[in-house]
Amino acid sequence: MGAPSPDDSGVVAIGSILDGRYRVDAVLGAGGMGRVYRGEHTGIGRAVAIKVLHSALGRNKEATQRFQREALASGRLDHANIVGVSDFGVLTDGSLYLVMEALEGEGLGARIERDKRIGWLEAVEIIRGVLAGLRHAHDRGVVHRDIKPDNIYLAKKDGEQIIKILDFGIAKLYAGNADDPAMTRAGLTVGTPAYLSPEQAVGGAITPASDLYSTSVVLFEMLTGRVPFDEKDPLAMLTAHVTREPPTFAETAPDLATPPALEAIVRHGLAKVSAERITSAVDYVRALDDVLRSAGYYVPDIRNSSSPIAIPTPPPGFATPMPFAADLGSAPTAMLPMGSMPTPVSGAIAVPQQPAPHAGSRNVIVVVIVLALIAAVALYELGRSRDRGDTSTTEPSPVTAPIPMHFGDNGVDRDTRIKAAIHDLEDGATCTDRKAAIPKLVELGEDPRSLKALKKARYRMYGGIAGLGETNANACLTEYAEAAYKALGGK
């Protein structure tokens, strides 16, 4: 390999050329394992970041394996929300180096340290970027194992903020790979105590659910200004993750105002048993998107895209709450409160208006009405059965929805609380109001009255003609009611 190489202090001379290809321009940071330098690939003129392991650690098996693991994991990944690693090598004295994409911006840890708390809209968007990167990693059999603010970077590119996940140095190729150095370390507790999942704390099996727990801790911290468990002693911290329920938002930050469903999602992500958490990064994003939609933001479907999460800069004079990029769409798109825009804004998602019927279409309308009346007898009972929640007809596909598991009774007996929740579910003024009653029924446990109400709540049909063209006024809660119905033992 080329010279010069780092000396025993881990310092690379500024202006030197590493491995014949990378000019070292400046020090970006230093830590216990090595230094990170700003540099340039001299062959193509591209700015890069170069992480160099201290030469003394190059003879340390554990440190060397961590470096190799980062290179191995990064070799599987290519996603805009994950920092790119383009090269890995060994210098003449045995020191290891990684070459990564150069980023401009700041770490989430620095942002939290400065601002203490981040508004819920921006916090959700940051976590959506993290989840987009994790989805890509998990789909390729890689678990990060150390999601925390210091490993999340708020990068600036072309005026937009792109979320980047850093440091796969303790990642595990959970799908099983004999080349993974972590495969030989069963039972080892790795990660940062404040963000460790319960299974990591006890040296248990590591799966994507472990990353989702850590992600939930980060979201909790952004919203409230502190992590759920902040014991000084690391062992006490690990014990808390395993045995204690996280505090509520009200206990942690009494003045915090967020949609109630958002806290439910965070608590679902912090479930002690991995099988009881949100099942995947995709499901997590969908749950967050439901919160955004309920708050009046339009979010496209995330299932068939891999574009980066970007947070664009608001247009000049834009006075509504901070716009956010559409999740994983084909291009960054502003996400704006529906109905708040008097005139179009570049990048906004337009909600098409229904055109008024053309005069020439009136005859067609008459024919449709006649046909509807002919079919009314056959369809009348179908319309009524749906309004009753009768599942003898086609049901929606099962979904996984975040269901919080803990509510205080405030001294009110269970029977009264069930009746109150059912009243809210059936008579709430808006779909969002009715939806808020679902987690309360789940927490109160199985009850025939709850099952009947949830079964009925999936559909609340209105409009149309003789059962045709009806609209479901409970569309926003259908998936949640379905999941809650099954969670309470419904068949």
Side-chain angles (χ1 to χ4, degrees), residues 300-315:
D301 197 315
I302 69 168
R303 285 173 292 187
N304 301 310
S305 181
S306 60
S307 298
I309 291 291
I311 304 177
T313 301

Side-chain angles (χ1 to χ4, degrees), residues 112-153:
I112 293 174
E113 184 176 359
R114 183 183 71 246
D115 295 344
K116 307 307 178 188
R117 281 156 56 175
I118 296 174
W120 77 265
L121 283 170
E122 186 181 1
V124 165
E125 196 66 13
I126 290 170
I127 288 299
R128 288 167 75 237
V130 173
L131 291 166
L134 288 178
R135 178 185 70 163
H136 177 83
H138 295 166
D139 285 349
R140 284 149 187 80
V142 178
V143 180
H144 188 283
R145 297 205 293 180
D146 197 20
I147 294 295
K148 59 184 178 181
D150 286 344
N151 282 338
I152 299 169
Y153 200 80

Side-chain angles (χ1 to χ4, degrees), residues 10-57:
V11 176
V12 177
I14 303 302
S16 61
I17 304 297
L18 286 185
D19 223 3
R21 296 190 299 280
Y22 303 107
R23 187 185 70 244
V24 177
D25 294 332
V27 176
L28 293 176
M33 293 191 66
R35 292 194 174 201
V36 179
Y37 299 87
R38 185 177 71 244
E40 181 180 295
H41 188 299
T42 57
I44 59 177
R46 175 180 296 168
V48 295
I50 308 166
K51 181 188 293 187
V52 180
L53 186 69
H54 287 318
S55 56
L57 292 176

